[in-house]
Amino acid sequence: MKNEQWVRGKNINKRKRSLINCLLKSAIMKCLCTGDQLRWMDEMATFGLGRTRHRMATDNTNQVDPDEYTIEQAESNLREAADLNHEEARALLGRMEFLKGHKEAALSLYDGIDFRGAIPKMKAMLSSLSADPRKQHSRQSGEPPMQFSAVVLRLESLYLKSMALHDLGRYKDAAEECSMILDIAESALPNGLHRGSSVNQNKLHELVCNAAEFLPELHKLAGSTQEAISSYRQVLLTNWHLDPATVTSIQKDFAILLLYGGCEANSPGLRYQNGGSFVPTNNLEEAILLLMILLRKCNTKQIEWDPSVVQHLTFALSMSSQWEVLAREYEEILPSMLETKERLHSLALCYFNEESDETALRLLRQMVDSREVNSGSLDPVILRSWLLASKFCSDKTQYAKEAADFAKRAIAQSHKFQWSDVESIGERLLGISLSTQARFTSSDSDRVKLQKDALEALLNAEKKCGNDPDVLQMLALEYAEERKLDEALKYAKRVMKLKFGSDVNVWILLARIFSAQKRYAEAESVVNAGLGETGKWDQLGLLRTKAKIYISQRQFKNAIETCTQILAVIQLRTRTFGAAMKFLKGINNDRTIEMETWYDLAHVYLSMKQLKDVELCLSRLKAIRSYSSLYWHATGKLHETRGLVSEALGAYNKALDLDPGHVPSILSLAILLRQLGNRPLPVVRSLLTEALRLDRTNHVAWFQLGLLHEDEGTASAVESAECFQAAALLEETAPVEPFR
């Protein structure tokens, strides 16, 4: 009886297994015939292991533990159903586990597949796709090395394995698996793979595209920036025939990595360099090239408009000071993609940095719409434009008045809308522009009023923004210009504490204030401290101040040594940067500093009566720029020392022809004419008045004007005394170099 029951149960189980195998065989054969892998997965979930386990667990006639239905049994059933080998069965099961979210179970299945060992067979199969039809026909006489569907299945398993490793945080291992897909495809299909007519070809193309987009991200997550850069180049320069959206995303991500990745990329290898094509030499060039390509795509409507592309391109081009190129890019953006006000504001910013002030102001004036302001709803873009115009024009004499008007408008609107931050910026810019007007006004009463208003605006800015170092530095400069040196020193020290000694201009200002107080030892100590806190490329201003301190104390030997040091730094910087100097911000003034240093050396040697050395300095000046007012003024001084009055007068006149505002040449000409005594005194008066208009704090001009009053005999003794008194006061508080 027991034997009969056992036989009957065995027959029932056999019939059930046969039924399951038939269902599996039907599903798998349908998959292999159609190539529809995802549909097969759905059918697998319906008719396969899930339902089999459920039946085995609920069947009263066959009490079998679900866990006893092992992977080996599943593989056996799959092989039995569709003639799959061991590895293909694991690939199918691994995909099912991955889609269920069982990443570790999927990895355990994929680890049993020898992907590397199958690479030659996969390459051979893929190579046959792009081979000559006649050769392909001859190969078909024998058995193919591997079925195309099996190749696609293995590549898909590699991709899913990479995704599983990514989800588990094993980014380096994931990148190795993902790169294997691209290496196989690139080696077997050098001309790329288009979407084909079969489902498997489309599946292969999709897998390669996904892997191409996924691999660089894996390298970035693994911290391998150089590998990420190489994979980006491989993806973009290989014929994968990616869809436009994917290419756009990859190009943008690559440009962002180059700009902000913090790693200098190696130059592209020879394999990526085509004859006659442009090859970027650094991160910035490569990023700019990618972003300009993306912007062209936007302008031609190949892709959707992406404002972040313009933002990244603006950063990249501004870093390389390519303002003209950036302006051209803004001009080419379609009107429908960028608002007119934003475009004009950005263009104005480019032209201001390109020092095309008139063009930039013209663009900003176009943006100012009085009707919008009067309506009570001010566009923030216009407010920013007012502040921008005031910022770039506040220190320029010809635009200072207009800069003050822009600042006043911004202050009025910010006060109306209670924008305290904007109001403080506006007050600071108003103070700078009023101070600029005060320095160059011809009326004493206007100058006093403008100085008072400028100081009031800066103090208002200080109240609103607290310890803003820029505002405090402007206050220190303003007090120093008015020769209120104690107040200036107090603010300069506050700025030094706030900036922790990182700003070389603060060190220079502090040293000049000490020199104006005739505290030369402290001024020299400040310069030495600044030299210790700043880089050698930023030390030229400090060294010039140090040389001037020595000249003021007639320590000519130390002055010559310091000037020699300045020239050595300039020469070293020129050799270091070479032709790239013109693109580096802050180095464009090297020629000017070099000329001023030779000019100072010429005057030092004149004071020492070493005329041969003066001639050497003049020859260096002439070699740099023969049409410089510095050269002709120093030449005039040499002629005057030798008693060649006529030649000296000619040199001074040439200097003024080149630069009518060169105050030392104006004063030298006026002094020489007054000493000759055979020239009309009104000419001398005109020259001295012009010198004081350009530099109200020049004590030499005030002293010479007092002497002129005495020579004329028409002015009262009070006027002469006032000139001498002003000269004495200004000389007593004169810095070794101008504060600004």
Side-chain angles (χ1 to χ4, degrees):
M1 186 68 180
K2 290 182 179 180
N3 291 335
E4 291 178 1
Q5 291 177 352
W6 180 81
V7 171
R8 191 183 301 113
K10 183 176 181 182
N11 292 333
I12 292 172
N13 290 337
K14 186 175 181 181
R15 288 196 299 272
K16 286 184 178 181
R17 285 196 299 272
S18 177
L19 176 62
I20 292 171
N21 289 339
C22 289
L23 291 172
L24 288 171
K25 182 175 182 180
S26 174
I28 296 173
M29 290 303 294
K30 190 174 184 180
C31 162
L32 295 177
C33 292
T34 63
D36 190 350
Q37 301 286 346
L38 293 178
R39 185 176 175 184
W40 182 90
M41 192 62 238
D42 294 337
E43 294 181 1
M44 187 72 176
T46 304
F47 300 105
L49 298 181
R51 179 168 295 185
T52 302
R53 289 187 178 185
H54 176 73
R55 287 182 179 178
M56 291 172 65
T58 57
D59 194 344
N60 294 328
T61 61
N62 187 13
Q63 301 294 332
V64 181
D65 190 345
D67 292 336
E68 293 180 3
Y69 190 79
T70 61
I71 292 174
E72 287 76 9
Q73 290 173 313
E75 292 174 359
S76 176
N77 286 334
L78 291 172
R79 287 196 302 271
E80 193 177 286
D83 295 328
L84 298 176
N85 61 32
H86 171 83
E87 293 187 343
E88 290 168 354
R90 296 182 76 91
L92 292 173
L93 290 171
R95 178 174 59 187
M96 184 180 68
E97 294 294 341
F98 179 86
L99 294 177
K100 286 182 177 181
H102 305 156
K103 307 300 171 58
E104 293 183 354
L107 279 180
S108 65
L109 287 164
Y110 289 139
D111 287 340
I113 301 175
D114 183 14
F115 292 107
R116 298 187 182 279
I119 287 178
K121 294 182 179 180
M122 287 191 284
K123 287 183 178 180
M125 180 62 234
L126 293 177
S127 298
S128 67
L129 297 177
S130 58
D132 185 85
R134 291 169 296 180
K135 295 180 180 179
Q136 189 173 0
H137 178 73
S138 63
R139 288 181 180 179
Q140 289 177 352
S141 59
E143 185 179 355
M146 182 180 289
Q147 292 293 332
F148 185 38
S149 58
V151 175
V152 175
L153 180 62
R154 280 175 167 78
L155 292 178
E156 181 195 52
S157 300
L158 272 174
Y159 181 67
L160 294 179
K161 183 179 181 181
S162 178
M163 291 183 67
L165 289 167
H166 164 270
D167 294 342
L168 295 174
R170 297 166 58 183
Y171 304 121
K172 187 175 181 180
D173 296 335
E176 291 179 0
E177 302 296 334
C178 189
S179 64
M180 199 184 305
I181 300 173
L182 297 183
D183 292 341
I184 292 171
E186 185 177 8
S187 176
L189 303 168
N191 297 322
L193 178 70
H194 292 277
R195 289 186 178 274
S197 57
S198 69
V199 177
N200 278 325
Q201 283 183 325
N202 291 336
K203 182 68 176 178
L204 177 60
H205 181 269
E206 183 182 354
L207 279 170
V208 172
C209 293
N210 291 339
E213 192 173 8
F214 193 35
L215 180 58
E217 297 299 325
L218 291 173
H219 282 308
K220 288 193 290 186
L221 290 171
S224 304
T225 308
Q226 287 290 357
E227 285 76 3
I229 291 171
S230 298
S231 61
Y232 272 125
R233 288 171 177 163
Q234 178 188 15
V235 168
L236 293 175
L237 298 174
T238 307
N239 297 323
W240 298 127
H241 304 290
L242 308 176
D243 59 276
T246 302
V247 174
T248 299
S249 175
I250 292 173
Q251 288 174 333
K252 181 180 174 182
D253 292 341
F254 187 22
I256 291 173
L257 177 64
L258 290 169
L259 286 177
Y260 317 112
C263 176
E264 184 63 32
N266 297 324
S267 299
L270 293 176
R271 60 178 296 198
Y272 299 128
Q273 299 180 17
N274 297 323
S277 62
F278 171 74
V279 180
T281 59
N282 53 51
N283 284 27
L284 206 56
E285 287 185 0
E286 196 164 4
I288 290 172
L289 179 61
L290 289 166
L291 293 169
M292 291 179 75
I293 291 172
L294 289 173
L295 194 57
R296 291 290 183 276
K297 290 182 179 179
C298 291
N299 290 334
T300 55
K301 296 186 177 181
Q302 298 179 36
I303 60 175
E304 294 184 0
W305 168 246
D306 186 357
S308 65
V309 172
V310 181
Q311 295 170 3
H312 295 308
L313 183 60
T314 299
F315 171 77
L317 289 173
S318 62
M319 285 292 292
S320 56
S321 299
Q322 298 293 326
W323 300 108
E324 186 178 354
V325 177
L326 182 58
R328 187 167 62 249
E329 294 297 325
Y330 271 108
E331 289 172 350
E332 292 178 358
I333 297 175
L334 296 178
S336 60
M337 296 178 178
L338 192 65
E339 290 186 5
T340 302
K341 292 175 184 177
E342 285 285 355
R343 184 197 306 273
L344 292 175
H345 178 83
S346 301
L347 282 172
L349 187 59
C350 293
Y351 285 119
F352 270 129
N353 283 284
E354 194 65 23
E355 297 183 356
S356 301
D357 299 332
E358 190 63 40
T359 304
L361 275 177
R362 177 175 53 80
L363 292 169
L364 291 176
R365 292 186 189 113
Q366 294 178 17
M367 298 179 60
V368 179
D369 187 352
S370 58
R371 289 175 300 176
E372 235 182 286
V373 177
N374 295 330
S375 66
S377 58
L378 179 63
D379 191 333
V381 178
I382 294 180
L383 184 59
R384 294 204 316 266
S385 299
W386 285 342
L387 294 174
L388 176 66
S390 181
K391 174 180 173 59
F392 282 99
C393 298
S394 58
D395 58 347
K396 297 176 175 62
T397 310
Q398 65 272 33
Y399 301 123
K401 188 176 185 304
E402 192 171 7
D405 293 337
F406 281 125
K408 288 176 182 177
R409 290 186 185 185
I411 292 170
Q413 292 298 322
S414 62
H415 181 70
K416 180 179 179 180
F417 292 99
Q418 296 182 348
W419 295 337
S420 57
D421 293 341
V422 175
E423 188 176 358
S424 65
I425 295 172
E427 292 282 5
R428 175 168 62 87
L429 295 173
L430 177 61
I432 297 172
S433 57
L434 291 174
S435 177
T436 302
Q437 292 182 65
R439 291 199 306 274
F440 297 100
T441 186
S442 57
S443 171
D444 290 339
S445 59
D446 290 344
R447 184 180 69 257
V448 172
K449 184 180 184 305
L450 288 169
Q451 285 179 338
K452 180 181 177 181
D453 293 343
L455 192 59
E456 182 180 354
L458 291 172
L459 289 172
N460 288 336
E462 182 193 8
K463 291 177 184 177
K464 290 179 174 62
C465 64
N467 290 328
D468 186 338
D470 294 331
V471 174
L472 298 179
Q473 190 167 347
M474 285 306 306
L475 279 168
L477 274 170
E478 196 61 32
Y479 278 122
E481 287 283 345
E482 295 182 17
R483 301 303 169 91
K484 298 177 181 178
L485 298 178
D486 291 336
E487 288 293 320
L489 186 61
K490 179 183 71 174
Y491 279 104
K493 288 181 176 179
R494 286 178 61 185
V495 177
M496 181 66 72
K497 290 181 181 179
L498 290 171
K499 291 192 174 183
F500 302 101
S502 60
D503 190 345
V504 65
N505 293 320
V506 182
W507 289 104
I508 294 172
L509 175 60
L510 193 58
R512 290 176 183 176
I513 292 173
F514 277 128
S515 70
Q517 293 178 327
K518 303 303 182 258
R519 298 159 65 178
Y520 293 117
E522 293 173 79
E524 186 178 349
S525 298
V526 167
V527 170
N528 291 332
L531 292 172
E533 294 293 330
T534 56
K536 64 179 179 179
W537 301 138
D538 301 324
Q539 294 179 353
L540 292 179
L542 285 168
L543 291 172
R544 274 190 56 76
T545 302
K546 188 175 183 179
K548 292 285 189 177
I549 292 172
Y550 288 137
I551 293 172
S552 298
Q553 300 177 83
R554 300 187 65 82
Q555 298 179 12
F556 296 135
K557 183 178 179 181
N558 292 335
I560 293 171
E561 291 178 357
T562 307
C563 289
T564 304
Q565 188 177 354
I566 295 172
L567 296 172
V569 171
I570 293 174
Q571 187 178 16
L572 178 61
R573 188 148 68 170
T574 303
R575 289 180 178 177
T576 302
F577 296 105
M581 284 183 64
K582 62 180 181 179
F583 298 110
L584 299 174
K585 190 175 181 180
I587 301 183
N588 294 330
N589 294 327
D590 276 15
R591 280 292 185 187
T592 302
I593 296 175
E594 185 178 5
M595 290 181 63
E596 291 173 348
T597 304
W598 285 113
Y599 176 78
D600 292 338
L601 276 173
H603 281 77
V604 169
Y605 287 125
L606 276 172
S607 301
M608 299 172 67
K609 306 299 182 183
Q610 298 181 14
L611 302 187
K612 290 293 183 181
D613 292 323
V614 176
E615 291 176 354
L616 177 61
C617 295
L618 291 177
S619 66
R620 296 298 178 89
L621 270 173
K622 186 175 182 179
I624 298 172
R625 190 178 300 164
S626 61
Y627 49 88
S628 165
S629 58
L630 295 179
Y631 166 72
W632 286 108
H633 178 253
T635 302
K637 282 292 183 183
L638 179 60
H639 289 321
E640 194 174 345
T641 302
R642 288 173 169 170
L644 305 174
V645 177
S646 178
E647 287 80 354
L649 289 173
Y652 296 146
N653 282 314
K654 285 183 180 179
L656 292 177
D657 288 339
L658 294 169
D659 183 7
H662 191 239
V663 175
S665 296
I666 295 174
L667 289 176
S668 296
L669 182 59
I671 293 170
L672 189 56
L673 289 175
R674 191 187 66 80
Q675 290 174 350
L676 290 175
N678 58 350
R679 299 288 178 142
L681 293 181
V683 175
V684 180
R685 176 187 290 276
S686 176
L687 290 170
L688 293 175
T689 303
E690 178 65 12
L692 287 173
R693 187 188 69 80
L694 295 170
D695 184 5
R696 299 291 301 181
T697 60
N698 193 301
H699 62 275
V700 176
W702 284 108
F703 180 74
Q704 291 297 324
L705 187 59
L707 294 176
L708 183 64
H709 285 320
E710 288 185 345
D711 293 342
E712 289 179 330
T714 56
S716 65
V718 176
E719 290 178 330
S720 299
E722 287 177 351
C723 291
F724 291 138
Q725 185 178 3
L729 178 62
L730 291 172
E731 184 180 14
E732 186 180 351
T733 58
V736 293
E737 278 192 303
F739 291 111
R740 296 184 189 272

